[in-house]
Amino acid sequence: MFKRFGALLGITALVGAGTVLSPITPVAHAAATDVTINEIVTNDAVLPDSIELLNTGTEAVDVSGWIVKDDNDARTDALPAGTVIAPGEYLVLSQDGTPGFSFGLGNGDAARIFLPDGTTLVDGHAFPSHSSPSWSRCPDGSGAFVQANSVTLGAANDCAIEQAGPENLVLNEVDSGPLDWVELYNTATQPLDLGGYVLTDNAPNDPTHRYEFPAGTMVPAQGYLVVDGGTFNIGLGGADSVHIFAPGETGFDPADAIQSHSWTVHAAIDGDEAIAANSRCPNVTGEEWVVTYTTPGAFNDCPTPIRINEVESNGDATDWVEVVNASDAAVDISGWTVMDNDPDGHAADVTPLPAGTILAPGAYFVFDGDTHFTFGLGGNDVASVRDADGVTVAEFGWTEHAEGSYSRCPDTTGPFQEIGFTTKGMINNCEGTDPVEPDPVDPIEVVAWPGEPEVRVIDATETFLGDSSGLEFQETADGGVLWGVDNDAAHIFKMNVDADGSVELAAGWEDGKNVVFQTSTGAAGPDAEGITAAGDGFLYLAVERDNNAKGVNLNKVLKVDPKASGSTITASQEWDLTATLPDVSANTGLEAIEWVADADLAGKLWDSAKAKPYDPADYPGHGDGLFFVALENNGHVYGFALNADGTHAQVSETIPYLGGAMALDWDAEQGALWVVCDNGCEGRSALVEFNGTDAPALTHVDRPASMPNLNNEGFATSTDALCVDGQRPVWWFADGEQPGALRTGTLPCEAAVVVPPFIDVPLGTEHFESIAWMKEAGLTKGWPDGTFRPLSPVNRDAMAAFLYRLAGSPSVAGQTEPFSDVRPGIEHYDAIVWAYNTGVTTGWPDGTFRPVDPIDRNAMMAFLYRYSGSPSYTAPATSPFVDVQPGDMFFAEIMWAHDNKLTTGWDDRTFRPYEDTARDAMAAFFHRFVVDNGFSYNSEAGR
């Protein structure tokens, strides 16, 4: 106690109850005086609220009549006449000690001293919270205010304090859609100045994707700071990262970041991105990131067993806090307490729960005012549930009283909502929930890059600017052209391309050209992210911002004449899509654009506006194609009719389920739309095939094996006009790379991506081509769960069905029902009857067909031989197989199959005639039978 009170001996004590922090009215210029406020104590368990003054000069200062104020400009308390502070001496003003300080200092307030006129400020300090234990200048008399180690009223401040540094900064919560913000927490007992710290997204090597915090940006001691996208001006995509680098960093390697978090899709709860964020769990200390409800500047809403479920804070005398056990196991809550936003001041006002307090799974418990706590819950307050060790388990804050209560809706799991009634100790009575964006109906298959695995850098020397974005291939009468755009300067490049993917800047385009808005808004120009060439010969740019106002989202399409003279091209027309598209932060708007001809879309694209396949006649005045744009924020692709009169109509919306979309390209050879994500999705793409329904076929495609995980924002495919040795070039454009922005690879000239026919037959599966052909030819449908089960045996009835379908499924009306175990109504009945009546099968000697028995490999060859018409054939005297010899059952049929290359057997020269025929091998036999040999029903009869 001596350290706390010793400094008060022999000094003058002048006297002041707390107020709520409010904006301080500006005052006249500060007085020229050596008196300064040096220490502030609020809400101490023993001491009254106090303000310490210090005379740092060499002469005494008469402070008689000086006015003491908190954040309330109406205060008039004056210091008594004859009050003088000697040089180097302290004067402590104590609430209600003597006239001159009759009011208290609140939790978030100010301490100020004015000359007798009440308007000339001598000194002041606004503090964000109660002192713990004191707000003190460090160094004493001259430094900034910090939370000191102890109260030293009347003596030099105790400034041997913990210093806040990079190790105290925690990236605690991130929201990337529809708003962008990050929440930081300071674990130190002192405020942390973020001046010089740098925030980046997933492109830290791009200087335009970095934000340096200005000096004086403070994270409160053991408190939160929320920084929004309008401040750091970097759009956070559906697949992105946040990295925080300490001051002085130059390499900006994510591995050197002091705090980082990456994600692959926008956080969403039941499809709603507006209510969800990625949060560190447990709050501040956890190493796991979890999708939670947004809690900017507050305790993360982690899915803990015990959760605050309802709070009554409506200004009456019956405040309470309800918790629920959200787990499937009982929880011992003995010793637990509830606290508000003043834990120091109300430490003695709580009663821990008695030993043996157990909360059953799904059960509720209510902390009642006047029973478990004796303070009131204010209109701007916090309910904090703490375990027996004082660790905060759950917390919820609000800024004004509720009409009834703040309740989770849905009960236990939902976000807090204000409802007009209370359900104390019961399930919350919620009304309605937000709509859910469904997951894909069918699993989306992921396939390897179908072209060559190698990619190569084209711009080994610095060729482009630092913000490479959109690409577009255009086939012209003079050869292939590749267009590129730089997003920071709306700078476009024209390149002539060779069949090997190499490019050279076209004549007159060595330095590129700038595109500007029709009406100038400043020197910076449009933030153009995508480029496409339409059938009318014009270029069209996708713009997400005006670079002169980077904090504002502006989703526009600009029409550009590539033949315009000069180094600057003014857009000839503009379409503003901002109001039509979802609200997003400034830098997560339009990322790509692609024009597709009506001839490729009519009857195939689903018109979501009219709930039917797209008919160009429904959109008069739009030209002869639609423009697809990709929104970075949610990764969705929107189809628009852009009308000649400047109006527009949204036709479609496609969800590629990538989490982000950075580039679009219509693959003319594939007849499908590429949607490309960046390094936030590991470079994965989606291939969208419109099929006349509201569920287009989707295939996810991995990046080429040799492609680094770059921030690719541009992608373009060429046509077969550049095909060489079965391959055609494609290109990627990487943001933030200089050189090394432009890379080329290949796709096959035909069928760029073979879509897996079944979910268990990925690209690379043995006999993949044969299985895909079987499905395309309508010979197999697979199983209802979307599988083919390639290694499962073929049953005899299925074999009959495959051949029956191959023959065109003719009618069997009036034909003989041959087998005792085959009756109308069984699976493949018609096929079995047909197979018997055409001589494809004879069944077993006992008159059975045994439809669900697997078919042996030798019987498979016999079925194919008979199906083809049992051609005249002389078997060789010597067998190519060691396990098939003359005289064996179906020897001639097997030899016939071998000679026609329907089967090659195994590497050990076996045929294994009595093994079951696997379904993938059956597909291979059929493929060789029909495609390689041209055999069909009875095609070989008589030979």
Side-chain angles (χ1 to χ4, degrees), residues 669-821:
E669 303 303 332
Q670 186 72 7
L673 183 69
W674 288 93
V675 184
V676 181
C677 193
D678 58 7
N679 53 336
C681 307
E682 299 296 319
R684 182 167 288 177
S685 303
L687 192 65
V688 183
E689 295 182 278
F690 300 120
N691 54 16
T693 75
D694 61 353
L698 292 176
T699 304
H700 283 175
V701 184
D702 284 333
R703 71 180 191 270
S706 68
M707 170 76 81
N709 189 24
L710 298 172
N711 187 26
N712 284 317
E713 293 193 358
F715 178 71
T717 63
S718 68
T719 63
D720 278 356
L722 298 184
C723 183
V724 176
D725 296 331
Q727 299 289 319
R728 56 191 169 102
V730 300
W731 299 269
W732 292 265
F733 218 14
D735 189 12
E737 303 290 329
Q738 188 185 23
L742 187 62
R743 282 171 167 78
T744 186
T746 67
L747 281 174
C749 295
E750 296 181 2
V753 173
V754 178
V755 177
F758 302 100
I759 62 175
D760 58 347
V761 184
L763 197 66
T765 300
E766 188 173 17
H767 305 312
F768 176 93
E769 183 180 0
S770 298
I771 297 169
W773 169 81
M774 286 280 291
K775 181 179 182 183
E776 185 177 356
L779 303 183
T780 182
K781 302 174 182 176
W783 301 85
D785 62 1
T787 61
F788 180 71
R789 308 180 191 178
L791 301 181
S792 297
V794 180
N795 288 347
R796 289 169 55 84
D797 60 349
M799 178 62 190
F802 294 141
L803 290 171
Y804 179 60
R805 294 170 189 152
L806 186 59
S809 303
S811 172
V812 296
Q815 293 186 3
T816 303
E817 298 176 9
F819 304 114
S820 60
D821 56 351

Side-chain angles (χ1 to χ4, degrees), residues 605 626-629 637-641 649-654:
L605 176 69
L626 297 182
F627 291 84
F628 291 90
V629 295
V637 177
Y638 303 86
F640 279 93
Q650 183 178 325
V651 178
S652 66
E653 179 177 2
T654 302

Side-chain angles (χ1 to χ4, degrees), residues 483-503:
W483 296 96
V485 63
D486 180 279
N487 61 56
D488 187 60
H491 206 76
I492 59 177
F493 300 90
K494 181 181 180 181
M495 296 161 274
N496 297 320
V497 303
D498 295 325
D500 67 352
S502 300
V503 306

Side-chain angles (χ1 to χ4, degrees), residues 515-518 526-534 536 538-545 554-560 570-578 581 589-595 626-630 638-643 646-649 664:
V515 174
V516 297
F517 290 116
Q518 287 181 302
D527 181 349
E529 299 283 346
I531 186 169
T532 189
D536 58 7
F538 287 86
L539 299 176
Y540 292 79
L541 303 185
V543 173
E544 69 176 357
R545 291 183 300 184
L554 179 68
N555 293 318
K556 275 192 172 184
V557 174
L558 307 186
K559 183 178 181 180
V560 178
T570 300
S572 57
Q573 194 163 9
E574 300 178 6
W575 291 265
D576 190 344
L577 311 183
T578 310
L581 293 167
L590 291 189
E591 275 295 314
I593 186 169
E594 185 71 357
W595 178 85
L626 297 182
F627 291 84
F628 291 90
V629 295
Y638 303 86
F640 279 93
L642 302 185
N643 300 320
T647 60
H648 63 270
L664 296 173

